[in-house]
Amino acid sequence: MFTQVWYYFQRAFETKEIINSKPGLNNNVNHHAIIIAHSKGVIEETYFLSKFRSASDYMDGIDILVNCFVNHKPPIPYKIYEVTTKEEALIPIKSSNTSHIWIFGHGQRNFLNFKGGGLCYPKIKNVPEKVFVGQYHCNSILGTSLAEITKAKAWDVTRLPRITPCIRISVSKKLKQLVQSNLLMPDVGDDTCV
């Protein structure tokens, strides 16, 4: 069990390095928005303990997405949005330039959690339609998901809690499904990243 825990912490530290070196690619056009919702507020990186506390925000497959997008031929446009408030989260959600939304954090089917409150998805107005929405946080049995609100063509939203190993598997599986459905990018049907 210790080796599994260490594996996920290692993924988290590597993911943070990936984010620092590759925060986005060609994101002034339609792109994938990778939203990392920090529910503990601003992440302090100067103390060892705070690095471990914030590691859970980076374990869930962001590295899988970035590696896929960067290594795809041609590379797939994306941008990482690290957000600590609902106002910051609304920027990529309401943008007409985000075709795909991947949300990592804590929440429910209809709610994304932040330190000072949360974002209730059904209360969001004037949201453009999206190709894909993935809510990689816990979801509840009831409630309207962001995927339903955006009328997404494809989605990954459960009606159950989600944990890191399952989320990582879901991210990989969803990438393959989007490729097979020709929805990874509107004009790119290549499967070189999966």
Side-chain angles (χ1 to χ4, degrees), residues 66-123:
V66 172
N67 287 329
C68 171
F69 299 156
V70 169
N71 294 322
H72 193 274
K73 303 294 184 224
I76 296 173
Y78 75 93
K79 182 174 181 182
I80 296 172
Y81 297 85
E82 293 201 66
V83 300
T84 57
T85 66
K86 65 182 179 181
E87 292 79 19
E88 292 172 335
L90 284 171
I91 293 168
I93 290 171
K94 293 182 99 174
S95 173
S96 58
N97 281 345
T98 56
S99 57
H100 298 65
I101 297 178
W102 306 77
I103 302 173
F104 297 88
H106 301 281
Q108 301 171 19
R109 186 175 178 87
N110 62 340
F111 189 82
L112 183 60
N113 192 33
F114 294 101
K115 184 177 181 180
L119 174 60
C120 185
Y121 296 139
K123 291 185 178 180

Side-chain angles (χ1 to χ4, degrees), residues 43-58:
I43 303 301
E44 293 290 332
E45 297 211 20
T46 54
Y47 299 103
F48 184 75
L49 181 60
S50 67
K51 283 187 177 184
F52 274 100
R53 263 189 305 204
S54 66
S56 66
D57 292 345
Y58 301 102

